[in-house]
Amino acid sequence: MNITLTLPDGSQKQFEAGVTGRQVAESIGAGLARAALGIKVDGELRDLDRPIAADAQVAIVTAGRDAPDADALYLLRHSCAHVMAEAIQRLYPGTKLAYGPPVENGFYYDIDCPSAITEEDFPRIEAEMERIIGEDRPFTRYEMSRAEAERKLAGDEYKLDNVARADGDVMSFYATGEPGRDWEDLCRGPHVPSTGRIGAFKLLSVAGAYWRGDASRQQLQRVYGTAFPDKKQLKAHLAALEEARKRDHRVLGRQLGLFHIDEAVGQGLVLWKPKGAVVRQELQNFISEELRRQGYHQVFTPHIGKLGLYRTSGHFPYYRESQYPPIIEHDELARLADEGATCAELSNRMAAGTVDGYLLKPMNCPHHIRIFASEHRSYRDLPIRLAEFGTVYRWEQSGEIGGMTRVRGFTQDDAHIFCTEDQVTAELLGCLSLVRTVFQTLGMHDYRVRVGLRDPDSGKYVGAPENWDKAEAACRAAARSLGVAFSEEPGEAAFYGPKIDFVVKDVIGREWQLGTVQVDYNLPERFALEYIGADNSAHRPVMIHRAPFGSMERFVGVLIEHFAGAFPPWLAPVQAAVLAITDAQLDYAREVLEQLKEAGLRAEIDTSSEKIGKKIRAAELAKIPFMFVLGAKEAESRSVALRRHGKGDEGVLGLAEAVALLKAKVTERALA
RNA sequence: GCUGAUGUAGCUCAGCUGGUAGAGCAGCGCACUCGUAAUGCGCAGGUCGUCGGUUCGAGUCCGACCAUCAGCUCCA
């Protein structure tokens, strides 16, 4: 029987049923056959040597000429994980294998190894892997029934678990070489044809990982590595990683004097230094302008509130372990001490509500809700939009804290909108347009949108299902209106409502949630909020929580990396450096500095007795966007030689003209 | 919180098998006054993360704790 295969260029070829990808490649050309790593059959990536049974769209997968091909990398890395597992099992007898997939930038294998693997062991393991690759053994697939596989894997808890969780009745194994003689692993595949096709690889790190991602289960060792078709691409990848580390906000934050985290103050508590404070203040000014435009009212609320408030909101009972412990008043403490109450009793009584205290606020909403509730509200007043740069405190797990992106105290650019049900969609759209304005102004285009929905199988959510349905529908509709691709993710909702999140990546590829917009039918219920409708009866408002920046800490951290520390003029802590070529121009330089300050710009003068090259180097390293270089000629003609960060000498222009140019860039919030 | 690694001057790092610390940059001083990414000379700067232990003697060995980094888990 013949089948018809359609190639990527649209051409069709006839083959006998059962033809393999390798044979298809050979029929096209010997070069392609040599380069082939796998085949895509109707979009499904497969081994080169698996028979093709029916008509299909096919594409031979090769390493790719310029940019590495994503499918090729998948095959390569998956195969390399097998090679690594074999090497580790050979070197560390008794090692059991759990799970070893390819991931975005490489692969890992979770292993249960009797000895602790450290990076010092990598050279040995890599040498063993080189040997396996040098032997160029074929990856050989064979299959058996589920029952047979279970028998074969008897005693191997991890692999049996993999079988139990696999779909279908046919289990596949891949031998690296000959089945029964060489090393093998239960595996869905696919793989490259043979170990020799793994061009270049490197082991990168080792860390703990819980089995099946469950913290209550035992911890395995996860060994990370990466693989590429050739050494050049591997080298380029490693160089890119190295480069990325240089724009890490923790490194730049110190180098540029933006912020400091001090052991003596506490883990995850950010100290904003003067230069970092400028960036934050400029951002806050920017967002405040947008808020005024959109009819928000700014409010201020204190950092603490009574425990009862958070019992009502639900934060205290449900999220106690992620809050700083409550603050108890002196008298109350003294009374408890007299009674000889233990810590456990104190804790129980606080939970029961018989002992009161104050909580460092974990969220701003309860305070804003009390502002809303402080007056009678008419439907004519709605929507009411209360905004605050509100600082909140959360007890994050110590292992999760780092830099500015995950901290224990942070300031949200928070706001709560109280509106009628009919207004929800329009308000959501308003929020999203604000987020879009923010991202556009900052040139941040590399973000993804996530619509977080409730997990149907979880009981952690509060509120009526029909309200959830309405809120989720509103979020979906709003996200659709953005005109950007978004993903719907069950289980990502807040406990009180669904949300639309904006997610960006940091320099090492970790994702961070920034802006968020959340619909909430729950808190108005808990706080029994009302407004008087046109029908002269009380109605319940709907709340929208929104923070387009997320938190100032995380946002500025991500922004430092986004700009690699070289902020556009309007955000730059120092916008212009005044650099005299010799001390003879210092008087003129001081005059230029004055003019800059007069124009409302942030400028610094370098009065050191260094050569101009050194002064320029210092200003470049400080990533100051504008440098005014002043020599005898400029002093004479009252002009400046303009140099811009990263761009070099831009020629001479009049002093007033140069100041006006910079001023214009700042006013426009220009990116360059 | 878990696993592993790391912690020496403001920063980046050296310090072999235990014998009371060293460099470069930054800082300060002096000289130089120079045209677009590092002028020269000199000076100063360290309870070697903290506490405890082993030892005649600990930056170096052991333990606990603290912090940082990577990953896992978590993230209202």
Side-chain angles (χ1 to χ4, degrees), chain A residues 57 59 62 122 243 456:
Chain A
Q57 297 267 350
T62 64
F122 286 179
E243 211 36 54

Side-chain angles (χ1 to χ4, degrees), chain A residues 36-53:
Chain A
L37 292 170
I39 183 168
K40 265 198 144 162
V41 181
D42 283 337
E44 183 200 351
L45 192 57
R46 289 219 209 158
D47 297 323
L48 204 56
D49 285 320
R50 279 186 78 183
I52 301 164

Side-chain angles (χ1 to χ4, degrees), chain A residues 4-49:
Chain A
T4 305
L5 299 183
T6 309
L7 301 173
D9 65 1
S11 65
Q12 298 195 323
K13 285 187 119 173
Q14 302 284 319
F15 292 94
E16 240 173 77
V19 67
T20 66
R22 188 188 300 275
Q23 289 161 341
V24 173
E26 277 162 358
S27 79
I28 298 169
L32 183 65
R34 267 197 304 279
L37 292 170
I39 183 168
K40 265 198 144 162
V41 181
D42 283 337
E44 183 200 351
L45 192 57
R46 289 219 209 158
D47 297 323
L48 204 56
D49 285 320

Side-chain angles (χ1 to χ4, degrees), chain A residues 103-134:
Chain A
V103 289
E104 192 176 351
N105 286 309
F107 62 86
Y108 66 78
Y109 216 120
D110 284 347
I111 60 171
D112 180 354
C113 180
S115 52
I117 306 248
T118 71
E119 291 187 20
E120 283 164 30
D121 299 312
F122 286 179
R124 277 182 75 201
I125 300 170
E126 285 172 338
E128 195 61 37
M129 290 171 71
E130 290 288 4
R131 204 156 78 209
I132 296 165
I133 288 171

